[in-house]
């Protein structure tokens, strides 16, 4: 069965932007599920790199695939069970009969929207969700990343919820469960946010939840740069399935989506009309982003002994070719720019470590389109939102197929 991405699936992925977290606590800002998932998968990527150093290429690719799909499966599951509090959910998981009943219902709810991904995807998701007792490396990495991201949110709430009777119990639970994961390479370093560069980097990435997209335009829901990263990454994974990307290319596309706006830690979310107002301004912004990225992120990682992390970030961000939106391969130690035709053909092989650029741009534009479309559907009338929809539609009407994706036909489903 061929994979064809549908509007309903994209909207399902986006729906995590509505889903509030910690909604029984006093919050300094709204915390939403899609932001937490982005932070979780960034941390999972770091742990993936550190725990796969001694693996051969095949095992490393298999682990990366298991981490990405496991993260997506967990997210889709979470979208359905919504407001079940963690202590209640953990009790359900302790009873195999009750957990299976709940999971059967979740899968039935998800099936109509995820069936376009094919029977094999549905089988893998069912197998993953029905085996919560699995303690394989991918599952443990995802669990450690989940705990880290949730604990990071908790620390934002802690100071303003001092009268909450659950506070001490919740924090102690995080500390104990994260302590059990310290045998994984990188977990101890991530928790040392003050003196370890890896911990500081992970904490820094979490700050992208504070940066709202479309900051001059009212929207419902508001989306952050952090949540946008996860949405683009997930879209990239699904479209990689649709175009038949090899294992390395699909993983690179997901992780490139997860980091493509990382420079906005340093520049904030500069809107497209400003970036595109002139080539001089665009070049100036890009130069500043590169300098600051090196100074604040890449150089400290290298100096702290995490050269492999810095190297992979550079590759995912397209530093060697000047843009994350250019296709690349790696051959004979060199990073080379790659056309769509080559990536879809002879260069679509794991050994070349391929990464799509235009496909990433399609997913970035689709995420922006859905943000604007959803806000308008929810009654927010704004000239900027209407103009954004028009601009994206016109761009893809002129180029209806990009990187093998029938993007113009997909946008027509939103009429």
């Amino acid at each position: 069965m061929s994979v064809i991405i549908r509007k309903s699936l994209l909207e399902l992925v986006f729906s995590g932007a509505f889903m509030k977290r910690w909604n029984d606590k006093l919050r300094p800002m709204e915390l939403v599920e899609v932001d937490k998932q982005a932070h979780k998968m960034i941390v999972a990527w770091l742990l993936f790199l550190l725990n796969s150093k001694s693996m051969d290429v095949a095992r490393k690719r298999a682990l990366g695939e298991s981490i990405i799909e496991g993260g997506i499966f967990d997210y889709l599951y979470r979208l359905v069970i919504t407001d079940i509090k963690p202590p209640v959910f953990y009790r359900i998981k302790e009873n195999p009969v009750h957990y299976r009943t709940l999971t059967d219902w979740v899968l039935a709810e998800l099936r109509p929207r995820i069936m376009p991904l094919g029977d094999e995807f549905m089988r893998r998701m069912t197998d993953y969700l029905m085996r919560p007792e699995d303690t394989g490396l991918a599952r443990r990495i995802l669990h450690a990343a989940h705990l880290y991201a949730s604990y990071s949110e908790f620390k934002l709430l802690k100071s303003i919820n001092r009268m909450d009777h659950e506070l001490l119990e919740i924090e102690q639970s995080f500390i104990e469960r994260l302590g059990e994961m310290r045998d994984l390479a990188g977990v101890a370093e991530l928790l040392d946010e003050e003196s370890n560069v890896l911990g500081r980097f992970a904490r820094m990435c979490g700050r992208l939840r504070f940066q709202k997209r479309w900051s001059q335009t009212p929207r419902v829901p508001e989306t952050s740069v952090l949540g946008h990263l996860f949405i683009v990454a997930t879209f990239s994974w699904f479209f990689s399935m649709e175009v038949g990307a090899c294992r390395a290319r699909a993983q690179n596309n997901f992780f490139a989506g997860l980091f493509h706006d990382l420079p906005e830690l340093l520049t904030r979310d500069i809107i497209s009309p400003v970036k595109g107002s002139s080539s001089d301004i665009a070049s100036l912004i890009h130069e500043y982003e590169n300098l600051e990225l090196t100074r604040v992120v890449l150089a400290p990682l290298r100096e702290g002994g995490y050269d492999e992390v810095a190297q992979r970030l550079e590759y995912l961000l397209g530093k060697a070719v000047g843009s994350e939106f250019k296709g690349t391969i790696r051959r004979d130690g060199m990073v080379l720019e790659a056309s769509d035709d080559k990536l879809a053909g002879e260069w679509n092989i794991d050994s070349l470590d391929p990464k799509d650029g235009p496909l990433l741009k399609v997913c970035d534009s689709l995420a922006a389109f859905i943000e604007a479309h959803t806000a308008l559907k929810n009654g927010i009338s704004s000239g900027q939102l209407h103009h954004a929809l028009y601009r994206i539609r016109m761009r893809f009407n002129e180029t209806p197929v990009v990187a093998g994706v029938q993007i113009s036909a997909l946008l027509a489903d939103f009429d």
Side-chain angles (χ1 to χ4, degrees), residues 107-166:
L107 289 168
E109 291 290 307
L110 289 173
R111 187 171 286 108
R113 290 190 174 187
I114 65 174
M115 278 309 293
L117 296 172
D119 293 337
E120 188 59 26
F121 182 88
M122 189 72 192
R123 185 197 63 75
R124 292 195 303 271
M125 182 170 177
T126 301
D127 184 56
Y128 176 89
L129 293 176
M130 287 299 186
R131 293 188 301 111
E133 73 285 352
D134 176 28
T135 56
L137 182 56
R139 201 85 168 224
R140 296 195 74 229
I141 284 173
L142 285 169
H143 185 55
H146 153 72
L147 291 172
Y148 175 89
S150 296
Y151 191 31
S152 295
E153 289 179 325
F154 173 81
K155 286 186 278 191
L156 295 175
L157 307 173
K158 182 179 174 181
S159 64
I160 57 174
N161 284 275
R162 295 196 179 279
M163 301 301 291
D164 193 315
H165 68 283
E166 294 182 317

Side-chain angles (χ1 to χ4, degrees), residues 259-273:
F259 287 104
H260 76 281
D261 279 339
L262 183 65
E264 291 182 11
L265 272 171
L266 318 167
T267 62
R268 293 201 294 182
D269 182 27
I270 301 173
I271 59 175
S272 296

Side-chain angles (χ1 to χ4, degrees), residues 58-227:
R59 285 181 63 211
K60 190 167 185 173
R61 297 284 184 225
L63 178 62
E65 188 173 81
S66 295
I67 289 170
I68 292 169
E69 284 209 329
I72 292 172
F73 297 156
D74 286 337
Y75 174 61
L76 295 175
Y77 192 97
R78 181 66 184 152
L79 289 178
V80 178
I81 65 170
T82 59
D83 281 337
I84 298 179
K85 289 185 70 169
V88 176
F89 179 63
Y90 294 146
R91 285 199 201 97
I92 292 173
K93 285 182 78 172
E94 289 170 3
N95 186 312
V97 175
H98 293 170
Y99 177 76
R100 187 174 187 89
T101 300
L102 177 64
T103 303
D104 280 337
W105 174 74
V106 169
L107 289 168
E109 291 290 307
L110 289 173
R111 187 171 286 108
R113 290 190 174 187
I114 65 174
M115 278 309 293
L117 296 172
D119 293 337
E120 188 59 26
F121 182 88
M122 189 72 192
R123 185 197 63 75
R124 292 195 303 271
M125 182 170 177
T126 301
D127 184 56
Y128 176 89
L129 293 176
M130 287 299 186
R131 293 188 301 111
E133 73 285 352
D134 176 28
T135 56
L137 182 56
R139 201 85 168 224
R140 296 195 74 229
I141 284 173
L142 285 169
H143 185 55
H146 153 72
L147 291 172
Y148 175 89
S150 296
Y151 191 31
S152 295
E153 289 179 325
F154 173 81
K155 286 186 278 191
L156 295 175
L157 307 173
K158 182 179 174 181
S159 64
I160 57 174
N161 284 275
R162 295 196 179 279
M163 301 301 291
D164 193 315
H165 68 283
E166 294 182 317
L167 212 64
L168 287 175
E169 183 180 340
I170 292 171
E171 182 162 35
Q172 190 60 36
S173 175
F174 278 128
I175 292 169
E176 289 175 0
R177 287 182 293 158
L178 280 164
E180 293 169 359
M181 311 299 289
R182 283 177 177 265
D183 60 306
L184 284 175
V187 169
E189 292 83 348
L190 285 169
L191 294 174
D192 186 7
E193 295 178 341
E194 299 304 323
S195 58
N196 185 275
V197 65
L198 199 71
R200 289 198 299 273
F201 174 65
R203 181 176 61 183
M204 189 187 305
C205 289
R207 281 171 31 206
L208 284 169
R209 64 164 41 89
F210 303 146
Q211 293 188 30
K212 298 301 179 184
R213 286 170 53 78
W214 311 71
S215 58
Q216 300 175 32
T217 306
R219 288 176 305 118
V220 175
E222 287 192 330
T223 47
S224 73
V225 172
L226 185 61

